[in-house]
Amino acid sequence: NAGVTQTPKFQVLKTGQSMTLQCAQDMNHNSMYWYRQDPGMGLRLIYYSASEGTTDKGEVPNGYNVSRLNKREFSLRLESAAPSQTSVYFCASSEEGHTDTQYFGPGTRLTVL
Amino acid sequence: AQSVTQPDIHITVSEGASLELRCNYSYGATPYLFWYVQSPGQGLQLLLKYFSGDTLVQGIKGFEAEFKRSQSSFNLRKPSVHWSDAAEYFCAVGAWGGGADGLTFGKGTHLIIQP
């Protein structure tokens, strides 16, 4: 039981490049989330998926897209990376919605030059 | 929309001393409250949560928190800290209804343990 896994762990991009961050959970959770963490800002919700087949915007969705590929996987895509997207990205899952305990992956540290 | 304030950015405590980390929230209804801990280079781990019932909540690693509705607070406490408690601590509030008002985190308190 690996919990929530994220790939890659580190990534460096040039401005304008695209990439996809992958997230998978093996806890049979319905809800999944993408957050970004910046120094002094705490965690901010980018997108979430309440259940398979649904996605909704969070607090800071601009510049990102998501895909809930199946119940296990939830990917985050940066179509044209910008330096402002330099951050640590965390994926999380919960059994059912925001009021349930969220389980976090180890994070992806992204630098955009 | 809900909000969370953690007034202390950094706190330094001697090993063996007691600890209290402050958290104030703003939310119109009964909140769902959480404390998470993040060790350096790691993801977040749940320490404890409050949904309803007893306002004093016990968590893992010897932590507890008390929900005080009149003060809109959910402070985290530990009677005697260990060097391994050095980490970043986040208070969060959750709400039904989803959307951008889902789970809101405070900006965190960085705990430093002095030997």
Side-chain angles (χ1 to χ4, degrees):
Chain A
N1 189 338
V4 179
T5 57
Q6 294 182 235
T7 55
K9 289 190 183 339
F10 301 94
Q11 184 71 50
V12 179
L13 294 177
K14 295 180 180 178
T15 297
Q17 288 185 316
S18 63
M19 80 161 295
T20 299
L21 281 63
Q22 306 286 354
C23 173
Q25 52 92 8
D26 62 2
M27 296 174 283
N28 201 36
H29 285 169
N30 286 309
S31 302
M32 297 185 73
Y33 314 83
W34 277 105
Y35 293 91
R36 60 178 290 173
Q37 183 179 31
D38 302 293
M41 297 294 293
L43 277 78
R44 293 181 291 170
L45 183 66
I46 305 171
Y47 269 94
Y48 74 102
S49 171
S51 61
E52 186 179 356
T54 69
T55 60
D56 284 286
K57 294 178 181 179
E59 181 185 353
V60 288
N62 292 344
Y64 305 95
N65 285 300
V66 290
S67 296
R68 184 74 183 267
L69 304 169
N70 47 55
K71 191 170 186 179
R72 291 187 63 249
E73 298 172 289
F74 188 39
S75 62
L76 178 73
R77 183 161 178 82
L78 287 69
E79 291 290 351
S80 179
S84 61
Q85 295 178 304
T86 293
S87 187
V88 181
Y89 292 85
F90 288 100
C91 178
S93 70
S94 68
E95 190 168 340
E96 200 75 52
H98 301 279
T99 53
D100 274 341
T101 300
Q102 294 189 16
Y103 294 85
F104 286 79
T108 295
R109 185 174 293 275
L110 175 67
T111 302
V112 183
L113 302 175
Chain B
Q2 66 265 31
S3 65
V4 177
T5 301
Q6 293 181 247
D8 303 305
I9 298 174
H10 300 279
I11 282 189
T12 301
V13 177
S14 298
E15 190 169 14
S18 63
L19 170 70
E20 182 170 33
L21 301 182
R22 296 183 291 165
C23 172
N24 293 98
Y25 69 91
S26 172
Y27 182 60
T30 300
Y32 294 73
L33 294 162
F34 305 80
W35 274 100
Y36 284 87
V37 61
Q38 183 181 31
S39 298
Q42 303 295 315
L44 278 72
Q45 180 185 23
L46 180 73
L47 283 175
L48 47 79
K49 60 186 178 185
Y50 170 79
F51 285 175
S52 64
D54 193 348
T55 57
L56 185 63
V57 180
Q58 302 297 320
I60 63 170
K61 305 185 181 187
F63 285 93
E64 67 177 26
E66 186 171 12
F67 171 58
K68 293 186 177 180
R69 184 188 301 275
S70 61
Q71 298 177 19
S72 297
S73 70
F74 188 56
N75 294 348
L76 182 71
R77 301 194 293 249
K78 187 170 185 178
S80 176
V81 298
H82 186 262
W83 65 266
S84 60
D85 293 323
E88 191 86 16
Y89 291 80
F90 293 96
C91 181
V93 60
W96 285 112
D101 294 342
L103 189 63
T104 300
F105 285 83
K107 295 183 178 180
T109 297
H110 184 60
L111 177 63
I112 300 166
I113 307 297
Q114 283 183 335

